[in-house]
Amino acid sequence: MNKSQLPVEITPKDEHDFDRISELKAFDETKAGVKGLVDAGITKVPRIFFSPPDKFPKDSNPTINPGFSIPVLDLDGIENDPLRRRNIVDRIRDASGTWGFFQVINHGIGVSVLDEMLAGTRRFYEQDNEVKKEWYTRDGMETVVYNSNFDLYGAASANWRDTTYCSMAPKIPNPEELPEACRDIMIEYSKHAKKLGRLLFELLSEALDLDPNHLNNIGCSEGLAILYHYYPACPEPELTLGASKHADYDFLTVLLQDNIGGLQVLCHDQWIDITPMPGALVINIGDLLQLISNDKFKSSQHRVVANLAGPRVSVACFFTTGLMPSSKLYGPIKELLSEEHPQKYRDTTVREYSLHYNAKGLGGTSALLDFML
Ligand code: OGA
Ligand code: NI
């Protein structure tokens, strides 16, 4: 076949995809993330960030339905007051089976620690770009993985945020392996988060009528990754999202957000705001806990809208060993199965699930569906 016989016409789709890939590459190669665009003074959102409109309405008038917001649970005194504990376990069972989300107050992590974790996050992103760039990578096996959009080349649209991922347990990194801007607080915060996580897994075990240590014993709290996010102010917030609709791929997430807002959970086909509450932490069930609870607990879809105000920062603690080599199999817990409740998912490892989720990226269908029997 000579050259003249080759199809010369480029379809509009190809042309679009070609441009898109080079634009993604150019953006990636700056290693400066979305913050770099904003610092350069852009006033228009580049098209790689355009996200298609969503079919679900936003619950824009909560006064019509004031009860429609995620529960806030007070953990004060539950360690030594069995009655309060039982009450909280009941409420966790309700919230985890419906919303998949709740907030906790009096959770044992002091406000100064929370504030310093948010401040450390800001310090990391707002430091000299030449220093920050050194951490920029797409190699998920590095100790610290800073980049913008882990699924940049696979997702339908890029998100208006930068993220740093760092595994803090079971292996605690050496301080020198962590960015100086936030290393001390990362180590301190992850100790607190780990302790809170163990308590939450006890309460969740009780909510499933299992031995209080069940979820901790099977390793749910073994792995802990910190993901700290930076959502720069956005000049055209209606065109993009801070984070596309997704569910988390871990067992459980403990999320610290600042006071800007933008996090929403999808409930009964409506986006509900998770309004920031000073001192509170947002807790949500991850896909792996939905899987092992055989759907008793729900890993809900959520997103972060972009905002004219900002930057917004948040810090998610993911209870998972992520991509670490793992051979332990997780499937629906036998005690939860019966003729009435047959097993809904096949067994998997944490690594297999995480790899599958990463390959899919955010914004599509739930990765959990692919593990259904
Ligand atoms: C996440 C997430 C929400 C936020 O890290 O998975 O949903 O508010 N974060 O940053
Ligand atoms: Ni999430």
Side-chain angles (χ1 to χ4, degrees), residues 128-144:
D128 187 302
N129 208 30
E130 293 307 308
V131 181
K132 187 173 65 173
K133 254 185 187 169
E134 297 296 313
W135 299 99
Y136 197 93
T137 177
R138 295 206 170 271
D139 177 357
M141 298 312 281
E142 294 260 7
T143 308
V144 178

Side-chain angles (χ1 to χ4, degrees), residues 85 89 93 199-220 251 288-294 296-297 330-337:
R85 188 172 178 115
V89 165
R93 184 186 302 111
L199 170 64
L200 290 167
F201 282 117
E202 280 179 19
L203 299 171
L204 289 160
S205 301
E206 290 168 41
L208 292 170
D209 294 316
L210 298 168
D211 179 274
N213 297 316
H214 192 104
L215 294 173
N216 284 316
N217 285 348
I218 63 171
C220 293
F251 289 104
L288 287 172
L289 193 47
Q290 176 167 343
L291 185 148
I292 65 172
S293 73
N294 206 42
K296 280 221 157 62
F297 291 161
Y330 285 96
I333 295 169
K334 297 290 171 281
E335 287 86 336
L336 305 179
L337 304 179

Side-chain angles (χ1 to χ4, degrees), residues 246-248 284 302 318:
H246 68 282
D248 294 348
N284 66 284
H302 51 284
F318 272 39

Side-chain angles (χ1 to χ4, degrees), residues 35 125 172 178 190 208 342:
K35 183 174 188 300
Y125 289 101
I172 304 172
L178 301 174
S190 53
L208 292 170

Side-chain angles (χ1 to χ4, degrees), residues 18-307:
F18 179 78
D19 277 348
R20 182 175 174 80
I21 288 172
S22 40
E23 282 172 38
L24 291 170
K25 271 207 180 116
F27 168 68
D28 202 15
E29 279 162 11
T30 66
K31 303 187 176 190
V34 176
K35 183 174 188 300
L37 299 175
V38 173
D39 288 347
I42 60 148
T43 55
K44 297 255 170 256
V45 167
R47 59 185 168 166
I48 55 169
F49 295 94
F50 286 8
S51 55
D54 180 278
K55 64 177 187 233
F56 305 109
K58 166 149 163 40
D59 181 25
S60 52
N61 195 348
T63 47
I64 294 176
N65 206 342
F68 223 55
S69 67
I70 69 162
V72 178
L73 308 183
D74 183 351
L75 300 187
D76 188 34
I78 59 157
E79 305 263 22
N80 31 34
D81 182 342
L83 211 65
R84 280 190 52 80
R85 188 172 178 115
R86 215 169 310 141
N87 178 271
I88 288 293
V89 165
D90 288 342
R91 298 190 60 198
I92 287 183
R93 184 186 302 111
D94 276 356
S96 303
T98 53
W99 295 91
F101 267 81
F102 50 95
Q103 303 208 57
V104 290
I105 55 171
N106 294 315
H107 41 62
I109 310 183
V111 175
S112 59
V113 173
L114 302 180
D115 286 349
E116 177 54 16
M117 188 62 241
L118 293 172
T121 299
R122 271 184 228 106
R123 277 198 303 275
F124 174 80
Y125 289 101
E126 292 170 1
Q127 70 185 310
D128 187 302
N129 208 30
E130 293 307 308
V131 181
K132 187 173 65 173
K133 254 185 187 169
E134 297 296 313
W135 299 99
Y136 197 93
T137 177
R138 295 206 170 271
D139 177 357
M141 298 312 281
E142 294 260 7
T143 308
V144 178
V145 179
Y146 151 60
N147 61 41
S148 185
N149 289 272
F150 76 91
D151 55 354
L152 187 67
Y153 296 100
S157 47
N159 288 158
W160 200 256
R161 76 166 169 185
D162 302 328
T163 294
T164 306
Y165 177 101
C166 184
S167 167
M168 302 298 292
K171 185 183 166 294
I172 304 172
N174 291 324
E176 313 83 67
E177 294 177 273
L178 301 174
E180 208 179 337
C182 49
R183 67 166 62 126
D184 294 347
I185 189 62
M186 279 176 76
I187 293 168
E188 188 183 355
Y189 186 69
S190 53
K191 278 187 203 148
H192 287 287
K194 179 132 201 202
K195 182 156 177 254
L196 174 60
R198 290 189 67 84
L199 170 64
L200 290 167
F201 282 117
E202 280 179 19
L203 299 171
L204 289 160
S205 301
E206 290 168 41
L208 292 170
D209 294 316
L210 298 168
D211 179 274
N213 297 316
H214 192 104
L215 294 173
N216 284 316
N217 285 348
I218 63 171
C220 293
S221 55
E222 199 178 289
L224 172 62
I226 290 191
L227 285 86
Y228 51 97
H229 304 294
Y230 193 85
Y231 301 82
C234 181
E236 298 176 303
E238 57 300 335
L239 296 182
T240 187
L241 286 170
S244 302
K245 176 167 77 104
H246 68 282
D248 294 348
Y249 62 89
D250 54 357
F251 289 104
L252 190 73
T253 305
V254 173
L255 180 91
L256 166 63
Q257 61 170 335
D258 70 8
N259 57 8
I260 298 272
L263 176 62
Q264 299 178 331
V265 57
L266 189 62
C267 194
H268 302 305
D269 288 346
Q270 279 204 357
W271 287 112
I272 309 296
D273 286 324
I274 299 184
T275 311
M277 267 184 83
L281 290 165
V282 178
I283 313 296
N284 66 284
I285 305 296
D287 287 350
L288 287 172
L289 193 47
Q290 176 167 343
L291 185 148
I292 65 172
S293 73
N294 206 42
D295 282 352
K296 280 221 157 62
F297 291 161
K298 220 173 128 226
S299 170
S300 288
Q301 303 274 335
H302 51 284
R303 68 174 184 180
V304 180
V305 295
N307 205 319

